Amino acid sequence: MKNRRTHFISILIIVSLLLGLFVGASAQQALPQVGITASWSDEQGNVQQLMAQPVGFSGYENAYWLYLPPDAVQADATLDFVDNYGQYPGGFTQPSGTPLSMLGFVDAGADLSQQPVYFQALDANGMPVADFMLYISTQAQMPAPPAVQNAFVTVYYVDRTTNAELLQAQTVEIAPETSQTIQAQQIENYAPE
């Protein structure tokens, strides 16, 4: 009886450890497409490194945010660009080891309104295959969400067969998270579609 209990407890421990490994492995986030690391030496001569993070907002799919403390900028940190998945055999238009002073960057502050550093990924022939943006900030760990803009919807009154404009186009401004119904104007001998 005691051996069975010990055997059963041993099996439970092994299963628990395996489940923990599986859950831990599945909970890890995937690497971003591009790894961007800033490196510099602090006042004591110790090497410091920080990695850029994907911005993560809609419309900014290939954008990265790099927070750097002011001493990294003063030390003219160097940036390394790494293709994490081997998709870009030609590397990047910004070579690894590029010092900040060569980028001509503008401090992004706390949002995405400033000019980013643009760079491209290259194929084996050195041709651009993907565009990327890097925002460098000395003020915020991550950017504030971009402001949602109003949408402008234009309604055109056009004859389907001739493409002739029947009435002047009507543009309506619609605020985020709202809807608006636009009533088609009556045009003699036409039915709205």
Side-chain angles (χ1 to χ4, degrees):
M1 181 77 171
K2 189 174 184 180
N3 282 344
R4 280 187 174 176
R5 179 181 278 173
T6 305
H7 184 67
F8 179 73
I9 291 173
S10 298
I11 290 174
L12 278 177
I13 291 172
I14 291 170
V15 168
S16 298
L17 289 172
L18 289 174
L19 281 175
L21 289 174
F22 175 76
V23 170
S26 65
Q28 289 179 354
Q29 292 182 353
L31 287 173
Q33 227 176 338
V34 179
I36 305 169
T37 305
S39 303
W40 71 98
S41 294
D42 64 15
E43 291 178 357
Q44 290 77 34
N46 300 315
V47 175
Q48 302 293 320
Q49 290 186 323
L50 286 173
M51 288 190 68
Q53 302 299 316
V55 168
F57 298 122
S58 179
Y60 293 87
E61 285 74 16
N62 285 350
Y64 292 82
W65 185 269
L66 177 61
Y67 167 75
L68 291 177
D71 65 316
V73 176
Q74 291 170 351
D76 202 19
T78 59
L79 297 183
D80 290 313
F81 296 83
V82 176
D83 175 4
N84 285 329
Y85 294 103
Q87 297 174 303
Y88 310 117
F92 301 98
T93 53
Q94 292 292 345
S96 284
T98 301
L100 283 173
S101 60
M102 298 300 290
L103 295 176
F105 81 96
V106 174
D107 192 323
D111 58 39
L112 299 164
S113 64
Q114 296 298 323
Q115 183 75 18
V117 172
Y118 292 99
F119 65 100
Q120 294 177 312
L122 308 172
D123 66 13
N125 297 319
M127 299 302 294
V129 292
D131 296 316
F132 294 94
M133 297 180 290
L134 173 62
Y135 292 88
I136 302 172
S137 173
T138 61
Q139 299 174 34
Q141 298 283 330
M142 286 300 287
V148 179
Q149 302 293 322
N150 288 353
F152 292 89
V153 178
T154 302
V155 178
Y156 296 94
Y157 298 92
V158 178
D159 184 289
R160 180 188 275 187
T161 54
T162 65
N163 285 332
E165 190 172 309
L166 301 172
L167 288 176
Q168 184 174 354
Q170 174 186 3
T171 300
V172 178
E173 183 176 3
I174 302 173
E177 299 184 27
T178 64
S179 63
Q180 184 169 346
T181 303
I182 302 169
Q183 296 294 326
Q185 295 182 24
Q186 293 296 318
I187 302 170
E188 191 176 327
N189 299 323
Y190 287 94
E193 292 182 15

